[in-house]
Amino acid sequence: MCGIVGYVGQQSAGPILLEGLQRLEYRGYDSSGIAVLDRDGALSVLKRQGKLRDLEAAIGVMPPGAAGIGHTRWATHGTPSDRNAHPHASSSGDVVVVHNGIVENYRSLKALLDAAKPERARSWQSETDTEVIPELIARELNQGRSFVEAMRACLGLLHGASAIAAFHRADPSRIYAARKGSAGGIVIGYGDGEMYLASDLPALLPHTATVYHLEDGEIAVVDSQGAVVHRVNQPPLRPVSRQVDLDPVAVARGPYRHFMLKEIHEQPRALSDTIRGRARLDPPSALADEFELSDDQLRSVERVLVIGMGTSLHAAMIGRWWIEQIAGIPADFDNASEFRFRAPVIGPSPLVVSVTQSGETIDTLGAMDHVRDRWGAPQIVITNVEGSEATRKADASILLRCGPEVGVASTKTFVGSLAALYLLACRIGRARGVLDDGELTERLEQLLTAPSLVERGLELSKRCKEIASSYTGAANFLVLGRGIEHPIAMEAALKCKEISYVHAEGYAAGEMKHGPIALLDQQFPVIALATRGPLFDKMMSAIQQVSARQAPVIAIGDEGDAELAELADHYIGVPPANDLLTPFALTPVIQLLAYHIALARGLDIDQPRNLAKTVTVE
Ligand code: AGP
């Protein structure tokens, strides 16, 4: 989703801003722009619809200037276009702004600004909600306020979450940043005689590992020597920066054609790293360290609710299954965006677990707020991003150790989230006395096989490619699974939609005959997940019903399963796994099928159209 960068220092700002924006491309965007200010107050604002290379081509010769801000936009209000791209300036041209988030009341603010000066009602330059922000700041400045005071007054008028970077044309020595709510973060990066702003750490990667994350409600004044943060009703202060660990090699694509493929192949490592030290066998323990909720607190829990969105919701569905099976406690899952606007009954004594690889998904953050405000229930977050907003809202965090995930489609963070949920189920089961030493050891030993299950699944890439080549032109897929494999069917369908742009539906196989079967014919392929678990026979019946409608069947089951292979048109054998572990065996195959279909279709796999890596708007 939208990305923000900023720079103030001695170097030429333009190339630094562009490079920072390139590092945020993975978030997904449809247009981009930079604004650069030179020491004499000469302002250059350059914006383009399309990719950053289009912006670069339009810029030609980089404008001079050692201060600037830049943005990649993911359209919410107004089509992707040059004029809707950020930065946006006030009508005077003095105040220049880039913005992440949504100004929910922008219509009434526009009306307010127009009504204030009816004699020269502003002709708005864009269809965006953002454009009211520079205008509001300029209005406050005209009333004699300082820039910080003007930003503060502006924030007070905005409804919804916003992250803003800005500057004033008259002052090329400073850039400003402000944060209201959870519209993604703003990070201040500390260089040597130069300073940076970014919505995400990767943009700062080549420059600095010393950062400060702006908190909700803070406004930062940044010059080449440092930053001063202004909080409401407190004196300004120099914030305490911290060091972050970002391995530059990990964000490079290496020998892989796409980040998604690289990240699919990194899954065994991501899993091992996430599990390391958290699944001990002698004596057995799960998540024993680094976990802020005590056994007493876990013992008092009577129900667990797991929430998330998209791929994280599918992980949550599997987590629900494990918490019930392993910890023996009532558990449920929910779509965070729906949950937050209901009045659900989640008690008594609930524990809420949010799954969000980015830690910045607005729907999930909103649901966490809902839990805190309405029930004050203990909350755990499972996330791949240390210091993300979700970690600040939760009482305890389980940090994945997957490394940066650049592809928009979540892959390694999915299996990482699964491992964390499994460990959590073991920890709760142990705290509640459901698992004795022997049972806990057995469960953990099973989890320790997960990296090799995924590793062996990756060896099936060639087979997935062959099968994908037969279905490059397919317009639809139905993906069927049962039990713990049903969420994997949904994840398979999501991956087909996201990167292959193929309409696909993931269904519980038992549901097929209640409607979807009407769709089936020779042109409607069905992917059936059918490992030899307790529901295998039921899956075989469903496959028979599909075949009877002459729909082609791609069956994914245990390796060497001749019965399944015979029934299917295509068969992929995955390593046999314990019944609770089959998600790990199946996941690489469904990811690789979607990947190879997208590849054969020549699609933009790492940055699929209309999608964003981190969804910071509702
Ligand atoms: C997954 O491939 C998608 N990019 C998307 O569904 C994602 O899982 C969802 O937006 C939730 O993101 P989060 O894990 O960062 O909260």
Side-chain angles (χ1 to χ4, degrees):
M1 204 137 280
C2 306
I4 287 177
V5 292
Y7 175 78
V8 57
Q10 313 311 320
Q11 301 187 61
S12 173
I16 294 173
L17 297 173
L18 273 181
E19 197 213 359
L21 292 178
Q22 274 157 10
R23 289 176 181 277
L24 298 183
E25 278 193 294
Y26 72 92
R27 289 167 63 91
Y29 70 105
D30 47 51
S31 50
S32 59
I34 59 170
V36 176
L37 192 58
D38 79 9
R39 284 187 179 70
D40 303 323
L43 172 68
S44 311
V45 180
L46 304 142
K47 331 197 273 190
R48 267 298 177 279
Q49 180 190 347
K51 294 289 180 191
L52 277 167
R53 58 178 173 270
D54 302 318
L55 175 66
E56 225 173 328
I59 290 173
V61 179
M62 199 60 78
I69 53 179
H71 192 259
T72 44
R73 173 176 187 253
W74 185 86
T76 59
H77 296 63
T79 53
S81 65
D82 291 355
R83 73 190 189 105
N84 286 336
H86 300 206
H88 290 287
S90 58
S91 44
S92 63
D94 289 334
V95 179
V96 183
V97 161
V98 293
H99 168 231
N100 286 357
I102 289 180
V103 182
E104 291 170 358
N105 57 334
Y106 79 102
R107 280 197 193 82
S108 59
L109 290 173
K110 274 188 173 179
L112 177 94
L113 288 160
D114 284 343
K117 286 189 180 167
E119 72 286 2
R120 45 192 179 95
R122 172 181 176 146
S123 100
W124 297 94
Q125 299 297 306
S126 75
E127 304 158 281
T128 66
D129 53 338
T130 297
E131 203 181 344
V132 297
I133 296 175
E135 202 62 32
L136 285 169
I137 296 174
R139 185 182 77 149
E140 300 297 327
L141 289 171
N142 286 339
Q143 290 170 15
R145 296 207 159 91
S146 69
F147 204 91
V148 170
E149 289 166 349
M151 276 186 113
R152 174 78 61 213
C154 169
L155 289 184
L157 291 169
L158 305 182
H159 293 178
S162 286
I164 299 167
F167 62 65
H168 192 281
R169 188 163 55 171
D171 186 359
S173 68
R174 290 189 182 87
I175 54 177
Y176 298 82
R179 202 187 129 192
K180 175 175 183 169
S182 304
I186 289 258
V187 191
I188 300 170
Y190 290 74
D192 185 8
E194 54 192 355
M195 294 287 287
Y196 304 85
L197 291 178
S199 50
D200 298 83
L201 287 171
L204 301 178
L205 193 62
H207 307 295
T208 180
T210 308
V211 303
Y212 175 74
H213 283 85
L214 214 60
E215 298 277 353
D216 187 8
E218 289 183 341
I219 298 174
V221 184
V222 183
D223 63 24
S224 62
Q225 300 307 311
V228 172
V229 163
H230 295 249
R231 297 175 180 154
V232 180
N233 297 330
Q234 289 184 36
L237 54 85
R238 291 212 172 261
V240 180
S241 60
R242 68 185 183 97
Q243 295 294 310
V244 286
D245 179 21
L246 261 183
D247 174 5
V249 180
V251 291
R253 207 168 54 215
Y256 294 97
R257 189 157 170 191
H258 296 99
F259 276 108
M260 182 184 177
L261 189 62
K262 174 176 181 254
E263 287 155 5
I264 288 173
H265 281 82
E266 285 173 345
Q267 291 181 116
R269 172 79 188 273
L271 268 174
S272 305
D273 286 350
T274 297
I275 297 168
R276 187 178 4 93
R278 291 162 159 172
R280 296 201 192 117
L281 298 180
D282 192 18
S285 68
L287 287 175
D289 307 326
E290 59 164 320
F291 194 59
E292 299 91 331
L293 291 184
S294 68
D295 277 355
D296 278 349
Q297 284 171 294
L298 292 176
R299 255 190 296 277
S300 67
V301 167
E302 292 184 42
R303 182 165 179 257
V304 182
L305 176 67
V306 196
I307 58 175
M309 298 298 296
T311 291
S312 290
L313 176 60
H314 300 150
M317 293 169 76
I318 295 170
R320 184 277 298 258
W321 187 276
W322 283 330
I323 291 164
E324 281 180 345
Q325 296 266 315
I326 297 174
I329 183 172
D332 212 341
F333 66 86
D334 216 327
N335 173 304
S337 68
E338 289 298 313
F339 168 82
R340 61 183 289 209
F341 294 112
R342 295 209 320 271
V345 179
I346 67 166
S349 301
L351 169 71
V352 178
V353 181
S354 297
V355 185
T356 166
Q357 61 80 22
S358 63
E360 302 285 352
T361 297
I362 197 157
D363 300 296
T364 308
L365 296 178
M368 292 178 79
D369 287 341
H370 191 47
V371 169
R372 184 198 55 219
D373 297 344
R374 197 176 164 96
W375 300 280
Q379 299 200 56
I380 295 175
V381 67
I382 293 173
T383 183
N384 196 37
V385 182
E386 188 178 359
S388 58
E389 185 63 10
T391 62
R392 299 162 206 223
K393 290 188 188 291
D395 302 292
S397 307
I398 306 175
L399 282 178
L400 308 181
R401 301 174 187 142
C402 298
E405 188 174 73
V406 175
V408 163
S410 297
T411 52
K412 60 180 177 174
T413 56
F414 176 61
V415 294
S417 300
L418 292 184
L421 285 160
Y422 188 101
L423 285 163
L424 181 62
C426 290
R427 169 78 192 265
I428 298 172
R430 181 62 161 180
R432 290 168 51 79
V434 174
L435 299 175
D436 64 21
D437 270 8
E439 287 160 335
L440 180 58
T441 304
E442 193 182 334
R443 292 297 187 206
L444 294 176
E445 280 176 346
Q446 286 161 358
L447 179 64
L448 290 168
T449 66
S452 71
L453 288 174
V454 174
E455 184 94 58
R456 289 175 60 195
L458 296 176
E459 291 164 14
L460 298 163
S461 185
K462 196 160 161 246
R463 178 79 183 122
C464 292
K465 188 174 181 181
E466 280 164 17
I467 295 174
S469 69
S470 307
Y471 293 97
T472 307
N476 303 285
F477 281 102
L478 183 65
V479 193
L480 299 177
R482 293 209 66 153
I484 202 167
E485 294 173 9
H486 170 216
I488 298 294
M490 296 183 71
E491 176 62 7
L494 181 64
K495 286 287 161 283
C496 288
K497 285 184 257 214
E498 276 188 296
I499 60 160
S500 323
Y501 308 160
V502 184
H503 171 245
E505 297 298 333
Y507 257 87
E511 187 72 21
M512 180 187 65
K513 54 194 175 298
H514 299 283
I517 199 167
L519 295 167
L520 299 186
D521 61 20
Q522 288 166 333
Q523 313 307 322
F524 207 120
V526 175
I527 300 173
L529 310 180
T531 63
R532 289 254 166 190
L535 295 169
F536 177 76
D537 290 342
K538 307 257 179 235
M539 271 308 298
M540 289 297 272
S541 302
I543 295 170
Q544 298 274 10
Q545 291 161 14
V546 171
S547 296
R549 273 79 195 172
Q550 294 171 354
V553 175
I554 303 161
I556 308 173
D558 287 345
E559 61 192 21
D561 192 330
E563 194 188 355
L564 181 64
E566 186 164 346
L567 194 55
D569 297 271
H570 306 276
Y571 155 76
I572 304 175
V574 299
N578 172 278
D579 292 347
L580 291 183
L581 274 287
T582 59
F584 292 107
L586 294 167
T587 292
V589 171
I590 57 108
Q591 293 168 340
L592 286 165
L593 276 174
Y595 173 84
H596 285 299
I597 293 171
L599 188 67
R601 291 179 154 213
L603 299 175
D604 188 350
I605 291 178
D606 284 333
Q607 292 168 40
R609 69 183 177 206
N610 305 337
L611 288 182
K613 180 72 184 162
T614 308
V615 182
T616 52
V617 294
E618 287 181 54

